[in-house]
């Protein structure tokens, strides 16, 4: 809901939120400084707001079940506090060829453990090639 409040979330991204998120990613998610793009974080955050604003309300108003038969890799970070494992259960109903890998990690696993993500992607590509 915070992302939907006009002006408030944008102001947060322009002021205190980038520093707070950077500290959180360092202290809680163990994202190394070399993987934290602090210079672009305010812009990235505001751009990310638009993804929520354009997609979430429309999907809530008119939910539609979309399916795919394209091979899908679902990498589930078991320590993600925002996209929980329960939220991702049952996705095999919409992806006929779903490979799910549960891994130890948090919300920013791509930055904190790029080797884990890259390894999963390599295995998936070998499987579907």
């Amino acid at each position: 809901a915070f992302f939907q409040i006009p002006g408030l979330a944008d102001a947060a991204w322009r002021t205190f939120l980038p520093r707070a998120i950077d500290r959180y990613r360092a202290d809680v998610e163990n994202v190394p400084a070399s993987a934290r793009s602090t210079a672009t974080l305010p812009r990235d955050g505001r751009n990310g707001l638009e993804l929520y604003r354009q997609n979430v309300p429309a999907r809530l108003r008119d939910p539609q079940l979309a399916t795919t038969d394209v091979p899908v890799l679902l990498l589930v970070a078991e320590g993600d506090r925002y996209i929980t494992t329960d939220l991702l259960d049952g996705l095999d109903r919409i992806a006929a060829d779903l490979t799910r890998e549960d891994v130890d990690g948090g919300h920013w696993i791509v930055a904190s453990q790029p080797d884990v993500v890259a390894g999963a992607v390599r295995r998936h590509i070998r499987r579907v090639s």
Side-chain angles (χ1 to χ4, degrees), residues 15-85:
T15 57
F16 72 91
L17 201 51
R19 284 185 305 279
I21 289 201
D22 189 50
R23 278 194 311 274
Y24 176 83
R25 292 190 307 173
D27 298 344
V28 177
E29 296 279 340
N30 299 315
V31 176
S34 61
R36 296 191 319 264
S37 57
T38 54
T40 63
L41 191 55
R43 184 187 70 229
D44 295 343
R46 289 191 310 275
N47 289 340
L49 287 175
E50 287 306 312
L51 292 174
Y52 283 94
R53 290 177 178 154
Q54 296 299 317
N55 292 300
V56 173
R59 300 259 180 327
L60 290 174
R61 281 191 304 275
D62 186 22
Q64 307 234 345
L65 184 63
T67 61
T68 184
D69 58 0
V70 172
V72 173
L73 171 63
L74 175 62
L75 193 59
V76 179
E78 294 175 325
D80 193 324
R81 297 172 182 174
Y82 309 102
I83 304 172
T84 64
T85 56

Side-chain angles (χ1 to χ4, degrees), residues 80-119:
D80 193 324
R81 297 172 182 174
Y82 309 102
I83 304 172
T84 64
T85 56
D86 291 341
L87 181 65
L88 300 171
D89 287 343
L91 289 179
D92 54 334
R93 294 176 312 183
I94 61 172
D97 187 0
L98 177 76
T99 300
R100 176 177 171 151
E101 283 196 38
D102 291 21
V103 296
D104 183 33
H107 191 66
W108 279 280
I109 191 169
V110 171
S112 64
Q113 298 181 64
D115 54 330
V116 170
V117 175

